[in-house]
Amino acid sequence: MPSTLETLFQQFLGSPTISTIRRNHGLEHATLHVLSQRHPKLKMAGHSSGNGFWLLGDVPTEEVKTAVEEALRRMGAGEHNLAVHANCGTNFVTAGTLAGIAGALSMFGVGRRWQDRLERLTLAASLATIALIIAHPLGLKIQEQVTTSGVPGGLRVVEIIPTQRGNIKAHQVITRG
């Protein structure tokens, strides 16, 4: 039986605003997967919100449109794993947080002298390395369970707006549902 805290957390994740952001984040990742399969060397990035997501990269608008459509179709057909991406910010935040905690723990009880802290450097590096090893699967699990959703539900694309700022090409993908 779920605890009160678990129930509250599930209610939070299922709230309309958070659910929309998670589904947009999942569609962003799925779109990046599709584009990466089509263009393996293309450098891309994304950012999600409650209104949709941004794709940054030198990709023609028609290519973005067909990739988003394919991603949405595939997720709707059950390929929920497309919502999880190895280069997601969730992974980087998880790794940074765990490595930072490991570094701080390694200095616990050390005096103020820099020589004392220097003596703990190998311990800090070892604990941070262990933290980074743990962070990889943990970050993917956090994406799967918290920051993305691979179930698009009624999510639909209403508009794709190409933009360019200097040398950076981007597309704003606006969603509803």
Side-chain angles (χ1 to χ4, degrees), residues 129-165:
T129 300
I130 292 168
L132 292 173
I133 291 167
I134 293 167
H136 180 69
L138 181 60
L140 295 173
K141 187 55 97 176
I142 291 171
Q143 275 187 74
E144 181 185 324
Q145 299 294 317
V146 180
T147 63
T148 69
S149 174
V151 181
L155 195 65
R156 68 189 192 292
V157 176
V158 295
E159 189 174 10
I160 298 175
I161 304 168
T163 62
Q164 184 158 345
R165 307 252 172 150

Side-chain angles (χ1 to χ4, degrees), residues 34-49:
V34 170
L35 288 169
S36 293
Q37 291 167 352
R38 294 178 183 176
H39 308 280
K41 295 184 181 190
L42 183 64
K43 302 229 184 289
M44 296 174 288
H47 170 74
S48 300
S49 70

